[in-house]
Protein backbone atom coordinates (compact mmCIF):
# COMPACT_ATOMS: atom_id res chain seq x y z
CA UNK A 1 0.00 0.00 0.00
CA UNK A 2 1.44 3.34 -0.98
CA UNK A 3 -0.35 6.64 -0.52
CA UNK A 4 0.25 9.68 -2.70
CA UNK A 5 2.25 11.34 0.06
CA UNK A 6 3.47 8.36 2.10
CA UNK A 7 6.56 8.90 4.21
CA UNK A 8 9.12 6.90 6.13
CA UNK A 9 9.65 8.02 9.73
CA UNK A 10 13.14 7.08 10.90
CA UNK A 11 14.31 7.69 14.46
CA UNK A 12 17.09 6.62 16.84
CA UNK A 13 16.11 4.42 19.79
CA UNK A 14 17.66 4.92 23.21
CA UNK A 15 16.05 1.82 24.74
CA UNK A 16 14.72 -1.44 23.38
CA UNK A 17 12.70 -3.34 25.97
CA UNK A 18 9.98 -4.62 23.66
CA UNK A 19 7.75 -1.84 25.03
CA UNK A 20 8.00 0.88 22.37
CA UNK A 21 7.68 -0.67 19.92
CA UNK A 22 6.00 -3.82 21.15
CA UNK A 23 6.44 -6.55 18.51
CA UNK A 24 4.57 -9.45 20.09
CA UNK A 25 1.52 -11.59 19.27
CA UNK A 26 1.43 -10.87 15.56
CA UNK A 27 1.48 -7.07 15.72
CA UNK A 28 4.06 -4.34 16.09
CA UNK A 29 2.63 -1.36 17.96
CA UNK A 30 3.88 2.07 18.90
CA UNK A 31 1.61 3.11 21.74
CA UNK A 32 4.01 5.01 24.01
CA UNK A 33 6.84 7.46 23.36
CA UNK A 34 7.34 9.31 20.04
CA UNK A 35 4.13 11.40 20.29
CA UNK A 36 5.19 13.60 17.36
CA UNK A 37 5.45 10.61 15.04
CA UNK A 38 2.22 9.08 16.34
CA UNK A 39 0.45 12.37 15.67
CA UNK A 40 1.28 12.69 11.98
CA UNK A 41 2.08 9.21 10.65
CA UNK A 42 -0.69 7.63 8.57
CA UNK A 43 -1.70 4.23 7.29
CA UNK A 44 0.72 3.25 4.54
CA UNK A 45 3.62 5.16 6.07
CA UNK A 46 6.61 3.30 7.46
CA UNK A 47 8.28 3.68 10.85
CA UNK A 48 11.88 2.51 11.23
CA UNK A 49 13.75 2.42 14.54
CA UNK A 50 17.52 2.67 14.40
CA UNK A 51 19.92 1.86 17.20
CA UNK A 52 21.05 4.91 19.14
CA UNK A 53 24.25 5.56 21.05
CA UNK A 54 22.74 4.49 24.39
CA UNK A 55 22.10 1.05 22.92
CA UNK A 56 25.60 0.97 21.42
CA UNK A 57 23.91 -0.01 18.18
CA UNK A 58 24.41 3.02 15.97
CA UNK A 59 23.65 2.30 12.32
CA UNK A 60 21.71 -0.89 13.05
CA UNK A 61 18.03 -1.36 12.18
CA UNK A 62 16.03 -2.55 15.19
CA UNK A 63 12.61 -2.67 13.53
CA UNK A 64 10.65 -1.56 10.49
CA UNK A 65 6.88 -1.49 10.24
CA UNK A 66 4.39 -0.32 7.66
CA UNK A 67 1.43 1.21 9.47
CA UNK A 68 -1.67 -0.80 8.68
CA UNK A 69 -3.99 0.71 11.30
CA UNK A 70 -4.22 3.53 13.83
CA UNK A 71 -6.60 4.04 16.74
CA UNK A 72 -7.07 6.02 19.93
CA UNK A 73 -5.97 4.82 23.35
CA UNK A 74 -9.64 4.46 24.22
CA UNK A 75 -10.11 2.02 21.34
CA UNK A 76 -6.81 0.25 21.96
CA UNK A 77 -7.56 -0.35 25.63
CA UNK A 78 -10.73 -2.33 24.85
CA UNK A 79 -9.96 -3.95 21.49
CA UNK A 80 -10.04 -7.75 22.07
CA UNK A 81 -6.99 -8.22 19.83
CA UNK A 82 -4.82 -6.19 22.17
CA UNK A 83 -6.00 -7.23 25.63
CA UNK A 84 -2.99 -9.55 25.87
CA UNK A 85 -0.79 -6.45 25.63
CA UNK A 86 -1.91 -5.20 29.04
CA UNK A 87 1.14 -5.26 31.29
CA UNK A 88 1.56 -7.81 34.07
CA UNK A 89 4.46 -6.77 36.26
CA UNK A 90 4.87 -10.20 37.85
CA UNK A 91 4.49 -12.01 34.54
CA UNK A 92 6.80 -13.14 31.76
CA UNK A 93 9.21 -10.72 30.11
CA UNK A 94 6.67 -10.17 27.31
CA UNK A 95 3.95 -9.39 29.85
CA UNK A 96 6.25 -7.05 31.78
CA UNK A 97 6.55 -4.77 28.76
CA UNK A 98 2.91 -4.71 27.70
CA UNK A 99 2.05 -1.36 26.08
CA UNK A 100 -1.75 -1.31 26.49
CA UNK A 101 -1.40 0.92 29.54
CA UNK A 102 -3.80 3.89 29.22
CA UNK A 103 -7.53 3.90 29.87
CA UNK A 104 -10.28 6.18 31.19
CA UNK A 105 -13.93 5.79 32.10
CA UNK A 106 -15.07 8.37 29.53
CA UNK A 107 -13.41 11.08 27.49
CA UNK A 108 -14.19 13.48 30.33
CA UNK A 109 -12.02 11.54 32.79
CA UNK A 110 -8.28 11.73 33.37
CA UNK A 111 -6.03 9.02 31.96
CA UNK A 112 -5.32 6.06 34.22
CA UNK A 113 -1.92 4.45 33.71
CA UNK A 114 -1.52 0.75 34.43
CA UNK A 115 1.51 -0.46 36.37
CA UNK A 116 4.01 -0.56 33.52
CA UNK A 117 7.41 0.45 32.17
CA UNK A 118 6.35 4.11 32.32
CA UNK A 119 5.11 4.01 35.92
CA UNK A 120 7.04 5.19 38.97
CA UNK A 121 9.40 2.77 40.67
CA UNK A 122 6.69 1.74 43.15
CA UNK A 123 4.23 1.02 40.34
CA UNK A 124 2.08 4.11 40.83
CA UNK A 125 1.19 6.45 38.00
CA UNK A 126 3.95 8.65 36.60
CA UNK A 127 2.19 11.83 35.54
CA UNK A 128 5.13 13.09 33.52
CA UNK A 129 5.24 9.94 31.37
CA UNK A 130 1.44 9.92 31.17
CA UNK A 131 1.35 13.51 29.92
CA UNK A 132 4.10 12.83 27.39
CA UNK A 133 2.51 9.67 25.99
CA UNK A 134 -1.08 10.91 25.88
CA UNK A 135 -0.36 14.30 24.34
CA UNK A 136 -1.09 12.34 21.16
CA UNK A 137 -4.12 10.09 21.64
CA UNK A 138 -3.11 7.67 18.93
CA UNK A 139 -1.59 4.20 18.66
CA UNK A 140 0.18 3.03 15.49
CA UNK A 141 -0.36 -0.62 14.59
CA UNK A 142 1.21 -2.92 12.02
CA UNK A 143 0.85 -6.51 10.93
CA UNK A 144 3.48 -5.90 8.23
CA UNK A 145 6.71 -5.56 10.16
CA UNK A 146 10.12 -6.99 10.87
CA UNK A 147 11.52 -6.74 14.38
CA UNK A 148 15.22 -7.55 14.59
CA UNK A 149 15.87 -6.53 18.19
CA UNK A 150 19.36 -7.51 19.31
CA UNK A 151 19.89 -9.25 15.97
CA UNK A 152 19.67 -5.85 14.28
CA UNK A 153 21.68 -5.74 11.06
CA UNK A 154 23.90 -2.80 10.18
CA UNK A 155 22.43 -0.62 7.45
CA UNK A 156 24.86 0.34 4.70
CA UNK A 157 25.99 3.90 5.26
CA UNK A 158 25.09 4.98 1.74
CA UNK A 159 21.45 4.01 2.34
CA UNK A 160 21.28 6.15 5.47
CA UNK A 161 22.88 9.05 3.64
CA UNK A 162 20.44 8.67 0.74
CA UNK A 163 17.42 9.12 3.02
CA UNK A 164 18.97 11.89 5.11
CA UNK A 165 19.40 9.95 8.34
CA UNK A 166 22.66 11.52 9.46
CA UNK A 167 23.15 12.65 13.08
CA UNK A 168 19.38 12.80 13.67
CA UNK A 169 18.32 13.31 17.30
CA UNK A 170 14.55 13.19 16.87
CA UNK A 171 13.43 11.81 13.51
CA UNK A 172 13.45 12.42 9.79
CA UNK A 173 10.54 11.72 7.45
CA UNK A 174 11.62 11.50 3.81
CA UNK A 175 9.04 10.62 1.15
CA UNK A 176 8.54 6.92 0.58
CA UNK A 177 9.81 7.03 -2.99
CA UNK A 178 13.16 8.28 -1.70
CA UNK A 179 13.39 5.22 0.54
CA UNK A 180 12.76 2.42 -1.95
CA UNK A 181 16.32 1.11 -1.65
CA UNK A 182 16.15 1.18 2.14
CA UNK A 183 12.81 -0.64 2.30
CA UNK A 184 14.04 -3.23 -0.18
CA UNK A 185 17.19 -3.72 1.89
CA UNK A 186 15.13 -4.22 5.06
CA UNK A 187 12.91 -6.73 3.25
CA UNK A 188 15.95 -8.68 2.10
CA UNK A 189 17.07 -9.12 5.72
CA UNK A 190 14.06 -11.38 6.36
CA UNK A 191 13.84 -13.91 3.52
CA UNK A 192 10.78 -15.50 5.14
CA UNK A 193 8.83 -12.26 4.91
CA UNK A 194 7.13 -9.83 7.26
CA UNK A 195 5.27 -10.27 10.52
CA UNK A 196 8.37 -11.75 12.10
CA UNK A 197 10.34 -11.29 15.33
CA UNK A 198 13.94 -12.25 14.61
CA UNK A 199 15.60 -11.46 17.92
CA UNK A 200 14.99 -10.56 21.55
CA UNK A 201 15.12 -6.87 22.54
CA UNK A 202 18.51 -5.30 23.23
CA UNK A 203 17.31 -4.58 26.78
CA UNK A 204 15.61 -7.96 27.25
CA UNK A 205 17.38 -8.52 30.57
CA UNK A 206 16.09 -5.16 31.85
CA UNK A 207 12.38 -5.95 31.43
CA UNK A 208 11.70 -5.35 35.13
CA UNK A 209 13.05 -1.80 34.96
CA UNK A 210 11.04 1.36 34.38
CA UNK A 211 11.78 4.53 32.48
CA UNK A 212 12.16 7.53 34.78
CA UNK A 213 11.13 10.76 33.04
CA UNK A 214 12.83 12.76 35.79
CA UNK A 215 16.15 10.90 35.54
CA UNK A 216 15.88 10.24 31.79
CA UNK A 217 17.01 6.66 32.18
CA UNK A 218 15.90 3.18 33.18
CA UNK A 219 15.68 2.63 36.94
Amino acid sequence: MRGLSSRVFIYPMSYDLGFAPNPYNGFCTLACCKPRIRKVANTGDWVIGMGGTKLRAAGRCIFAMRITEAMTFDQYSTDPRFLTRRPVRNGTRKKLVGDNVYSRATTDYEWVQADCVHSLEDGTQCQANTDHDTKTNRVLISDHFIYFGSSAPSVPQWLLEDVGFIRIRDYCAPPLERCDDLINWVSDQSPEGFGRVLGVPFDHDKSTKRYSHEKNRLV
Side-chain angles (χ1 to χ4, degrees), residues 14-15 54 211-219:
S14 298
Y15 304 102
K54 284 187 177 181
Y211 174 73
S212 168
H213 188 277
E214 180 182 6
K215 298 177 181 178
N216 190 28
R217 61 179 175 84
L218 298 176
V219 295

Side-chain angles (χ1 to χ4, degrees), residues 70-187:
M71 61 177 61
T72 65
F73 285 122
D74 308 273
Q75 294 167 324
Y76 190 60
S77 68
T78 58
D79 191 309
R81 295 174 296 168
F82 305 118
L83 297 183
T84 58
R85 304 171 96 82
R86 291 178 177 172
V88 179
R89 293 301 291 180
N90 61 351
T92 64
R93 291 192 182 277
K94 288 183 181 180
K95 288 291 188 180
L96 282 165
V97 296
D99 68 351
N100 190 345
V101 303
Y102 293 109
S103 62
R104 52 186 178 177
T106 73
T107 56
D108 296 326
Y109 279 68
E110 297 294 323
W111 290 107
V112 175
Q113 181 191 65
D115 185 359
C116 66
V117 172
H118 273 188
S119 301
L120 297 175
E121 291 182 68
D122 63 0
T124 58
Q125 182 154 351
C126 174
Q127 196 59 49
N129 280 334
T130 298
D131 292 344
H132 181 74
D133 291 336
T134 61
K135 69 170 61 175
T136 294
N137 183 9
R138 200 156 180 259
V139 179
L140 303 181
I141 300 164
S142 175
D143 60 10
H144 187 86
F145 69 93
I146 301 172
Y147 176 82
F148 299 105
S150 57
S151 298
S154 295
V155 182
Q157 183 69 16
W158 69 269
L159 283 176
L160 298 178
E161 292 175 355
D162 273 0
V163 301
F165 187 77
I166 303 296
R167 294 184 293 277
I168 298 295
R169 291 190 177 184
D170 191 2
Y171 71 89
C172 65
L176 182 54
E177 58 267 22
R178 183 179 173 184
C179 300
D180 282 344
D181 288 339
L182 176 59
I183 298 300
N184 289 335
W185 179 88
V186 169
S187 301

Side-chain angles (χ1 to χ4, degrees), residues 1-103:
M1 180 187 302
R2 174 178 293 201
L4 293 177
S5 58
S6 294
R7 293 184 287 175
V8 178
F9 294 84
I10 313 172
Y11 73 96
M13 294 175 58
S14 298
Y15 304 102
D16 176 35
L17 293 160
F19 175 69
N22 185 304
Y24 301 123
N25 301 321
F27 294 95
C28 189
T29 53
L30 192 59
C32 299
C33 303
K34 311 313 293 183
R36 293 181 61 196
I37 292 178
R38 287 189 287 112
K39 181 177 181 178
V40 298
N42 294 309
T43 302
D45 291 341
W46 285 79
V47 181
I48 295 178
M50 297 291 298
T53 53
K54 284 187 177 181
L55 282 179
R56 298 181 180 178
R60 298 170 65 182
C61 178
I62 296 177
F63 80 98
M65 73 182 213
R66 187 186 69 197
I67 302 167
T68 53
E69 191 175 356
M71 61 177 61
T72 65
F73 285 122
D74 308 273
Q75 294 167 324
Y76 190 60
S77 68
T78 58
D79 191 309
R81 295 174 296 168
F82 305 118
L83 297 183
T84 58
R85 304 171 96 82
R86 291 178 177 172
V88 179
R89 293 301 291 180
N90 61 351
T92 64
R93 291 192 182 277
K94 288 183 181 180
K95 288 291 188 180
L96 282 165
V97 296
D99 68 351
N100 190 345
V101 303
Y102 293 109
S103 62

